[in-house]
Amino acid sequence: PPKAPALTCKQLGGAQLGSAKVPFNGYPDYIPLLDGVWSGEDGATVELQKPCGIGDLDGDGAADAVGTVLLRTGGIGQFWSVVFWHNSAGKPAYRSLVDLGDRNPVTSISVSGQRATVVWLTRSDGKSMAELDLRRTTVYQLSGITVTEVKHTDAPYTG
């Protein structure tokens, strides 16, 4: 069978986030992104962020997508998640996510060898929320709806 066209980062702006099986931040069903944004009745907003990575995550030959979203709930928190979408006949189908926590921005994503490499900023134990002093490189593998951290490495970050 012919391969599906590769997903694009632009397509994620209209994708669904979350599902009944793998909810996003406690929402019981999916939330629809519209132009990369969703606003809830509870005052929360979700915004698709850059970067994004495209590549085959599940070995079916079709290029899937890994992106990041930022959840704001009305306070000062900025909760980052890495989101995995399967290529379903050229359209993004939500699979799973990894929560990175409050104020841990993602700086790059690449997909190769059915793994996603995500580079993000975080802090050492004992540092304040404003003190990003680590650049963490995490390698994830997706199997169905399960995301596994294969490994991570930390390097000093001085911003």
Side-chain angles (χ1 to χ4, degrees):
K3 284 194 296 187
L7 293 182
T8 66
C9 295
K10 184 176 181 180
Q11 283 179 292
L12 302 182
Q16 293 180 354
L17 180 60
S19 68
K21 285 184 180 179
V22 185
F24 171 73
N25 207 51
Y27 290 95
D29 200 0
Y30 73 87
I31 60 174
L33 296 176
L34 178 61
D35 294 328
V37 178
W38 175 83
S39 297
E41 294 177 9
D42 58 359
T45 60
V46 175
E47 297 174 44
L48 184 67
Q49 301 292 305
K50 292 179 181 178
C52 162
I54 304 293
D56 186 6
L57 288 167
D58 54 16
D60 67 357
D64 307 300
V66 181
T68 55
V69 295
L70 178 59
L71 169 67
R72 291 185 175 99
T73 57
I76 60 171
Q78 298 180 17
F79 301 93
W80 288 78
S81 297
V82 178
V83 185
F84 297 80
W85 284 276
H86 169 71
N87 185 332
S88 179
K91 296 188 176 168
Y94 171 81
R95 280 297 178 256
S96 196
L97 62 84
V98 173
D99 287 319
L100 299 181
D102 189 6
R103 290 173 258 181
N104 293 322
V106 174
T107 61
S108 72
I109 300 173
S110 61
V111 179
S112 177
Q114 297 179 27
R115 292 181 175 184
T117 300
V118 179
V119 179
W120 51 293
L121 305 178
T122 190
R123 63 204 54 77
S124 303
D125 290 341
K127 296 285 186 179
S128 75
M129 293 303 287
E131 294 178 272
L132 297 171
D133 68 338
L134 292 177
R135 176 180 282 115
R136 179 163 290 167
T137 301
T138 308
V139 178
Y140 295 106
Q141 191 160 14
L142 178 68
S143 177
I145 59 172
T146 302
V147 178
T148 304
E149 180 181 317
V150 176
K151 66 178 179 175
H152 77 260
T153 55
D154 290 338
Y157 173 75
T158 56

